[in-house]
Amino acid sequence: MIAPSLLSANFANLEKDLQMLNSSKADWIHLDIMDGVFVPNISFGLPIVSAVKKLTNKPLDVHLMIVKPENYFEAFALAGADYISFHIEASTHVHRSIQLLKKLGVKAGIVLNPHTSVALLEDSIKDLDFVLLMSVNPGFGGQQFIEQTYSKIEKLKQLIKQSGSKALIQVDGGVNAKNAKELYQTGADVLVAGNAVFSATNPVEAIAQIRNAKNA
Ligand code: DX5
Ligand code: ZN
C-alpha cells in the first residue's frame, strides 16, 4: 500500500491536490502533525485534518509528532482520523494510550524514531494495528532514506510473527520508486511518500509506480 504525505502538497490549493489523490491509487492519506517541540518544525493541526476529511473518502492516517500525544487523540479522531500513530519517545504510558485509541474506534499505531529499538515493542505489539518505522529523523520532508531501516523491518517482522500480531509495517521518510521494491520485499506493508509524489511531473503515475514496485 501507499500513503502519500500531504506535507509536500500545495497548501494554497489543497483541494486540487486532494482531487489528484482521489483519482490516484493512494490507499491512505498521511497527515504529519508537528508541534515545534517534539520535532524542530511546525506543520498543521486539527482544522486542516477536518478540511481534508471533507474532500476525500480515503482513510486518513494521522502521524502525531507532538509531545503528550494522548491529550489530542480524541480531537483528531473527531476531526476524521481513521489511523492515529504516536511516537513511543513522546509517551510515558504507552499501554494506556493504545487502549484510548481503541476506545475511540481508530486504528492504533506506534512510531519509532531511527535510533529507537524495535525490541521496545515486545509488550505492545499484539495490541497494535500498525507500527511506523521512521526512515529519516522526523520533522521535514525530502530527506535522505536511512539504510539501517531494512534491518529494523526484518526485526519487526520477526517480532510480529513470533507474537502472532496482525500489525502492519509502515515506513516513512525518503521513500521513492527506487527503494520501494526492496522495502516491500523486506516486509513493509505501507509506504509513506511525500517528496517523491508531489515533486513528480505526474504525481498519479508516481503513486502507482511506488505502489506497484513489488511487481516491477
Ligand atoms: C517526516 C514526515 C514524513 C514526510 C515524508 O517527518 O513524517 O511523513 O512527509 O516525506 P518524504 O517522503 O519527502 O521523505
Ligand atoms: Zn509522517
Side-chain angles (χ1 to χ4, degrees):
M1 289 190 276
I2 176 161
S5 164
L6 271 197
L7 193 62
S8 298
N10 175 9
F11 284 87
N13 198 347
L14 273 183
E15 189 164 8
K16 188 171 168 229
D17 281 342
L18 280 153
Q19 281 165 359
M20 178 280 287
L21 291 173
N22 288 340
S23 74
S24 78
K25 292 211 163 79
D27 297 279
W28 306 350
I29 295 177
H30 187 84
L31 296 124
D32 289 301
I33 312 300
M34 304 179 183
D35 65 354
V37 180
F38 181 70
V39 286
N41 194 11
I42 298 176
S43 58
F44 54 84
L46 292 158
I48 296 279
V49 179
S50 309
V52 168
K53 189 70 181 176
K54 295 195 185 87
L55 296 169
T56 184
N57 292 322
K58 304 240 187 207
L60 300 190
D61 166 34
V62 172
H63 173 191
L64 297 176
M65 284 162 274
I66 62 177
V67 297
K68 300 199 188 304
E70 61 282 355
N71 291 356
Y72 298 91
F73 288 168
E74 189 173 4
F76 280 102
L78 288 171
D82 300 281
Y83 293 78
I84 293 182
S85 59
F86 65 93
H87 276 259
I88 199 165
E89 304 87 1
S91 181
T92 317
H93 300 286
V94 170
H95 180 271
R96 180 183 285 151
S97 292
I98 297 169
Q99 299 312 316
L100 178 55
L101 288 174
K102 289 186 180 285
K103 212 171 110 191
L104 291 167
V106 297
K107 301 281 187 199
I110 286 186
V111 194
L112 303 184
N113 273 335
H115 74 275
T116 304
S117 169
V118 165
L120 290 180
L121 296 177
E122 203 185 325
D123 295 298
S124 8
I125 193 69
K126 273 196 102 163
D127 296 330
L128 291 170
D129 296 298
F130 65 114
V131 175
L132 172 45
L133 296 178
M134 288 309 304
S135 40
V136 297
N137 287 295
F140 304 92
Q143 301 182 82
Q144 200 188 338
F145 181 84
I146 297 172
E147 295 290 324
Q148 211 183 324
T149 310
Y150 293 111
S151 72
K152 283 183 85 172
I153 299 173
E154 280 166 8
K155 283 182 200 150
L156 178 55
K157 211 172 157 61
Q158 188 69 18
L159 181 64
I160 289 172
K161 210 171 141 193
Q162 276 168 5
S163 64
S165 160
K166 291 194 174 67
L168 297 173
I169 302 177
Q170 187 178 31
V171 176
D172 183 8
V175 171
N176 54 44
K178 285 192 195 108
N179 55 23
K181 184 172 185 165
E182 194 172 346
L183 285 166
Y184 286 128
Q185 279 175 345
T186 313
D189 302 294
V190 190
L191 299 182
V192 176
N195 192 54
V197 167
F198 288 95
S199 71
T201 347
N202 185 342
V204 171
E205 181 60 37
I207 289 168
Q209 233 178 33
I210 295 173
R211 193 177 191 276
N212 300 330
K214 199 170 184 174
N215 315 314

